[in-house]
Amino acid sequence: MNKLLFFFKTYGIKYEYIREFQRIGLKKDNTFSNYNTIIDSYSIQCNGNNYILDYKKKGRPQYILKKEKIIINAVSQPKFLEKFKGIEKVEKIKVDRQKEKIQGTAFRKLRHFLKLNKKQFGQSINKSENTIIRYEAGSLALHSDVVLAVLTVHNLKLSIYKRLLEETLISSNLNYSFNDFHIVGELERFYNKYGGIKMSDFLTADDISIICKIKKAKAYRIIKEINEEMERKGYIIIRGRVNRRFFNEKLGIQDTDKGGKA
């Protein structure tokens, strides 16, 4: 996950991606440099205050936060976090381990439903066996994009995951409901908006290496770059696969596959 988005989510800060733009760089002596700086711009809200945050994403990192007379200019994320927390007095969201364990148990039941071992399950969504172990134990936070990847790759309905989570909630004897699990809400909003997704909507590294006549390693770098851009814009992504439409737009390719809607 993009480190900046991880910061937003960890501290419960609302954000909206604005756009990417280029800005002429300046040297320390205030003369123009001979290259453009690529900036990602965000609108963020914390404790009722609105800010514009520009993040230089290529080259040496830089975080520029603007709000009226308040300006934070930091060359590293740790320094930016320290200054921002000092202004806004934000505190890291406490992880509810019981909730994470419930989600992990439901995730394990989903794997059992598919009759896969941890290694096979991980390979199907481009995750390591150790990552699957941590998800199921509740020691690693489970995000909606991971569950969506499983449902998509294995052609499962959202109702199956919801049923397994409900069974886990009942057996836990803890006072939780669906509303306490953000994953359910995020997935329901996604399905209501897009009607779910199909694997035909995505390209693999093998597909891209054939289309572009490049090595598989280069294809994976292209997937990573496009997925990072989509994630910054708030899309749910599937690791190791790339949205067909976004890929075609980036390369200026006309999509002739009528079944591949985004």
Side-chain angles (χ1 to χ4, degrees):
M1 180 186 294
N2 179 287
K3 290 182 179 180
L4 190 62
L5 301 191
F6 181 77
F7 158 64
F8 291 154
K9 292 184 178 182
T10 301
Y11 291 91
I13 297 170
K14 296 181 180 179
Y15 72 93
E16 182 178 353
Y17 180 78
I18 300 175
R19 65 186 177 94
E20 175 188 280
F21 66 93
Q22 290 187 333
R23 186 174 63 195
I24 298 295
L26 287 175
K27 296 180 179 179
K28 289 183 179 179
D29 60 1
N30 284 330
T31 60
F32 286 110
S33 64
N34 58 359
Y35 62 88
N36 289 333
T37 299
I38 299 178
I39 303 290
D40 266 341
S41 188
Y42 293 85
S43 169
I44 65 175
Q45 185 181 79
C46 183
N47 296 332
N49 294 319
N50 297 309
Y51 299 90
I52 296 296
L53 173 63
D54 290 341
Y55 167 58
K56 188 175 79 172
K57 66 178 186 176
K58 288 193 177 181
R60 188 182 182 190
Q62 188 175 23
Y63 301 80
I64 305 172
L65 185 79
K66 295 172 285 187
K67 178 184 182 292
E68 297 173 357
K69 296 181 180 180
I70 299 174
I71 295 178
I72 294 178
N73 190 334
V75 296
S76 71
Q77 190 175 56
K79 289 183 179 179
F80 171 76
L81 292 178
E82 182 181 351
K83 292 182 178 180
F84 184 75
K85 286 189 287 187
I87 291 174
E88 282 290 347
K89 297 181 172 59
V90 294
E91 295 183 1
K92 190 173 181 178
I93 295 174
K94 293 182 180 179
V95 176
D96 189 330
R97 290 300 176 191
Q98 287 185 324
K99 283 173 60 177
E100 293 297 336
K101 287 182 179 179
I102 289 173
Q103 289 184 154
T105 301
F107 196 64
R108 173 171 52 80
K109 289 183 177 181
L110 189 58
R111 174 172 64 82
H112 288 173
F113 178 84
L114 292 166
K115 298 180 180 179
L116 298 174
N117 60 37
K118 297 181 182 71
K119 184 176 181 179
Q120 293 168 332
F121 193 49
Q123 287 176 337
S124 73
I125 56 172
N126 202 33
K127 299 288 185 182
S128 69
E129 182 177 358
N130 185 56
T131 297
I132 298 300
I133 291 172
R134 293 180 65 195
Y135 281 146
E136 294 185 358
S139 60
L140 180 62
L142 191 63
H143 295 286
S144 55
D145 60 341
V146 177
V147 178
L148 178 64
V150 173
L151 299 178
T152 302
V153 169
H154 297 285
N155 195 29
L156 299 177
K157 294 182 178 180
L158 177 58
S159 58
I160 292 175
Y161 174 72
K162 290 172 66 176
R163 175 172 60 81
L164 294 174
L165 180 58
E166 184 176 23
E167 290 175 0
T168 307
L169 283 171
I170 293 172
S171 62
S172 71
N173 293 320
L174 296 173
N175 190 27
Y176 289 115
S177 68
F178 271 161
N179 294 332
D180 296 313
F181 294 85
H182 67 277
I183 283 181
V184 175
E186 289 178 0
L187 288 172
E188 285 181 335
R189 285 191 292 274
F190 180 87
Y191 275 82
N192 289 336
K193 185 174 182 179
Y194 299 106
I197 53 179
K198 307 180 295 297
M199 285 314 298
S200 60
D201 297 333
F202 290 85
L203 297 172
T204 65
D206 288 329
D207 296 326
I208 293 175
S209 64
I210 293 171
I211 294 170
C212 300
K213 294 181 174 58
I214 58 176
K215 292 183 178 180
K216 199 170 178 179
K218 174 64 175 176
Y220 273 118
R221 288 197 292 272
I222 291 173
I223 289 174
K224 183 175 182 292
E225 182 177 332
I226 295 177
N227 278 348
E228 285 178 348
E229 180 176 340
M230 290 185 66
E231 189 176 30
R232 289 194 299 271
K233 294 179 179 179
Y235 288 94
I236 294 177
I237 63 172
I238 295 180
R239 306 288 179 187
R241 293 172 172 81
V242 67
N243 182 284
R244 179 189 295 273
R245 181 169 64 83
F246 273 75
F247 170 79
N248 289 339
E249 287 178 359
K250 282 293 180 182
L251 273 70
I253 300 172
Q254 185 174 1
D255 192 354
T256 57
D257 185 350
K258 301 303 182 182
K261 297 178 181 178

